Amino acid sequence: MPLRDAAHSACVSRGFLHSWRCHPNLNFTKKTLCLKRNASGKGDMARRFNERVDHILKNHSGIGVKTLNLEIPYYCKFDACRLNHWLQIAIAPGIEVVTLFLPENYKTKYSFPCSLLFSGCGNSIRYLRLNYCAFRPPVGFDCLRSLTKLYLYDVCITGDELGNLFSNSFALEQLELLSCGELISLRIPFWLERLSFLDVFGCKMLQVIEIKAPNLHNFKFYGGPVHLSLGESSQVKNLDFELSNFGSSVSYAITELPSTVPTLETLKLTSYRERVDTPMVAEKFLILKYLDIYLSGENEPIPADYDYLSLVSFLDASPALETFILTVNQNDVKHDSVFGNASHMRHILGPKHDRLREVQINGFCSAKSMVELACHILENATSLESLTVDTIFDMFADGDVRSCSIQKKSECSPIPRDIILEAHKALRAVNTCIVGRVPPQVKLNVGEPCSWCHSIVDANLL
């Protein structure tokens, strides 16, 4: 019910007035408070936001609140006393969800008052989400015993303060830390037995991650190189891994992760401007079944001397691998084309990939080393069932139905003409170098340029 209608109903109905004052879900946003910009501008909207939240909380009994969602618009002036007063009314025994969205300029000015969580007020909270503020749990913090999900975005908190929070948060199941700039070390203790999901993104000062939680199965990491260690009882099975501004995420992963995370079954790697060929290693991913590698030039071409065939090292290091996906996203292709040296295709001797069943290469191009990689897989993956090579990379693709010539509607996403030309060269490479090597039991799927949007009239351009 819109706020205005609710207010009118409360004026004529004591029952409705009572229910309004005990309403369990408090959702304060610009939309729910029906704030629209008028001639008075942002200053008037800020005043009306504050007045309406003040009025609602002043008339609320503070009893029975289950959910608090407070999204303060960026144009509201900072007032710590007023914000603390709002939180004091809403955060009462029995509350389960607290979400606090603050403007970015609050980050250095506002510290979430941990004292509001004392006296049992915080022990019913199951979900806590904070952004753009400081959060300083003190030593002996014993206030979030029912917490299952914690989400901190751009929050000032140290590793020791997180440790104070973890000391009694035995029910924690999901932890997400994004852009927490004061975090240098992150230690996940063994008593967080229910923790199954950890996401660490863009914590630029982070140097050490130590995980002892025994049932953490899903781990997503984006950041700089860190010292990663896992306890003997750790069971991380799914890892989504990206090193920022490093240029050798794939090489780092194959050299460091087999011994650090030996329980991996699924591994997703993202690398921007990968500069180092994948080395051969002795360590193995003994139970890795799914490998997804994403390479991007990030508005630059992938280095011309990068050797896609070196990725065979990852296949050799993963004897149980069943699915391999390689996605290459680049705006330009600088590699030597297979057509300039097709008679000297390299062959790598090594173990057979006898568990590999499905392989997909998105953004397949005519680079000699990429064609060699596809041919190596066809020759050495004895259990291969399907090989998909997609010559047009489209990050907005929806499964196989990507081009408008298949959908017969709209248009394909705009693609630079150089990439369209390269896609036609890649299709020619598939027909020339790959089709004849496909065993009878293997299904070859080829993603071609759209016949409507990606046609090439002048064949001499190829």
Side-chain angles (χ1 to χ4, degrees):
M1 179 181 293
L3 182 66
R4 186 183 301 276
D5 294 340
H8 288 164
S9 299
C11 292
V12 298
S13 170
R14 288 182 176 272
F16 188 86
L17 178 61
H18 177 75
S19 66
W20 192 20
R21 288 177 175 175
C22 296
H23 197 277
N25 301 315
L26 301 179
N27 186 16
F28 300 129
T29 69
K30 183 174 67 174
K31 180 178 181 180
T32 61
L33 295 179
C34 303
L35 295 178
K36 296 181 180 180
R37 188 170 181 176
N38 54 26
S40 300
K42 295 178 182 177
D44 182 61
M45 290 181 67
R47 178 185 58 80
R48 286 184 288 138
F49 180 89
N50 290 332
E51 287 179 349
R52 291 182 181 182
V53 176
D54 275 335
H55 179 73
I56 292 172
L57 290 178
K58 179 181 178 181
N59 288 280
H60 199 283
S61 65
I63 299 174
V65 177
K66 295 295 184 183
T67 300
L68 171 65
N69 179 41
L70 178 56
E71 298 182 24
I72 299 180
Y74 70 93
Y75 44 77
C76 284
K77 293 182 179 180
F78 175 72
D79 188 337
C81 292
R82 169 175 272 162
L83 180 51
N84 286 344
H85 180 64
W86 291 346
L87 294 176
Q88 187 174 16
I89 295 174
I91 299 179
I95 191 168
E96 297 180 357
V97 177
V98 176
T99 304
L100 183 60
F101 288 86
L102 302 179
E104 186 173 359
N105 60 356
Y106 278 48
K107 180 180 176 181
T108 58
K109 301 176 182 179
Y110 186 73
S111 182
F112 183 87
C114 292
S115 59
L116 295 182
L117 304 176
F118 296 162
S119 301
C121 292
N123 279 331
S124 59
I125 295 177
R126 298 175 58 82
Y127 178 92
L128 176 62
R129 176 168 181 157
L130 305 176
N131 75 323
Y132 292 124
C133 66
F135 187 36
R136 309 290 188 189
V139 175
F141 187 75
D142 184 16
C143 302
L144 294 170
R145 288 181 170 269
S146 299
L147 187 67
T148 60
K149 295 183 180 179
L150 176 64
Y151 182 102
L152 303 179
Y153 177 78
D154 220 329
V155 169
C156 297
I157 189 169
T158 67
D160 289 340
E161 289 164 343
L162 262 179
N164 296 337
L165 186 151
F166 293 153
S167 62
N168 286 285
S169 298
F170 303 109
L172 192 62
E173 298 174 0
Q174 182 171 324
L175 174 63
E176 299 186 42
L177 304 169
L178 282 70
S179 301
C180 295
E182 292 186 5
L183 204 58
I184 298 176
S185 63
L186 173 62
R187 291 179 168 84
I188 310 296
F190 68 88
W191 58 79
L192 297 185
E193 296 182 352
R194 297 186 183 181
L195 186 67
S196 61
F197 179 89
L198 172 64
D199 186 358
V200 181
F201 184 96
C203 300
K204 295 182 179 180
M205 299 298 292
L206 190 60
Q207 299 176 12
V208 176
I209 299 179
E210 181 181 286
I211 300 173
K212 295 184 178 180
N215 295 307
L216 180 66
H217 293 161
N218 302 292
F219 179 25
K220 299 177 67 175
F221 176 81
Y222 168 82
V226 296
H227 176 69
L228 176 63
S229 66
L230 277 71
E232 294 181 358
S233 61
S234 294
Q235 296 291 323
V236 175
K237 298 182 183 299
N238 307 307
L239 176 60
D240 194 335
F241 190 82
E242 177 182 343
L243 294 179
S244 59
N245 301 318
F246 194 58
S248 57
S249 296
V250 177
S251 299
Y252 177 93
I254 196 173
T255 55
E256 299 293 333
L257 296 182
S259 58
T260 306
V261 198
T263 54
L264 277 183
E265 296 181 4
T266 298
L267 176 59
K268 295 183 179 181
L269 295 174
T270 300
S271 179
Y272 293 96
R273 298 187 296 273
E274 183 81 12
R275 297 187 296 270
V276 180
D277 293 342
T278 309
M280 299 294 293
V281 294
E283 296 281 355
K284 303 289 186 182
F285 292 98
L286 293 177
I287 59 175
L288 186 68
K289 297 180 180 179
Y290 182 98
L291 174 62
D292 187 337
I293 298 177
Y294 178 91
L295 302 178
S296 175
E298 199 179 39
N299 300 321
E300 297 178 7
I302 293 174
D305 58 351
Y306 181 74
D307 188 1
Y308 294 106
L309 184 59
S310 70
L311 292 172
V312 169
S313 302
F314 235 117
L315 304 184
D316 291 344
S318 309
L321 193 65
E322 298 177 358
T323 301
F324 173 48
I325 298 175
L326 172 64
T327 300
V328 181
N329 180 17
Q330 53 187 324
N331 293 325
D332 197 3
V333 178
K334 297 296 185 182
H335 292 76
D336 291 335
S337 173
V338 68
F339 300 116
N341 200 10
S343 61
H344 295 87
M345 299 280 283
R346 292 174 294 169
H347 297 272
I348 297 179
L349 297 178
K352 296 293 184 180
H353 317 303
D354 54 2
R355 299 284 187 88
L356 193 58
R357 297 175 182 170
E358 181 180 355
V359 175
Q360 183 172 341
I361 303 177
N362 303 312
F364 185 85
C365 65
S366 65
K368 180 172 177 285
S369 64
M370 186 174 287
V371 175
E372 290 171 333
L373 174 63
C375 291
H376 174 89
I377 291 171
L378 287 171
E379 294 170 358
N380 292 274
T382 55
S383 298
L384 191 65
E385 297 175 358
S386 69
L387 170 64
T388 299
V389 288
D390 195 338
T391 61
I392 288 283
F393 170 77
D394 186 354
M395 64 185 300
F396 302 106
D398 182 15
D400 294 331
V401 183
R402 180 199 62 230
S403 64
C404 68
S405 59
I406 296 175
Q407 294 177 322
K408 297 184 179 180
K409 62 179 181 179
S410 186
E411 295 181 354
C412 295
S413 302
I415 298 174
R417 185 162 180 79
D418 288 346
I419 297 301
I420 295 176
L421 290 172
E422 176 55 38
H424 283 272
K425 291 180 182 179
L427 181 60
R428 180 182 162 202
V430 170
N431 293 327
T432 303
C433 304
I434 293 179
V435 170
R437 300 172 185 259
V438 180
Q441 74 275 12
V442 177
K443 180 180 180 181
L444 177 63
N445 304 301
V446 181
E448 302 183 8
C450 176
S451 59
W452 292 358
C453 304
H454 304 150
S455 61
I456 298 295
V457 177
D458 189 355
N460 292 326
L461 293 174
L462 302 177

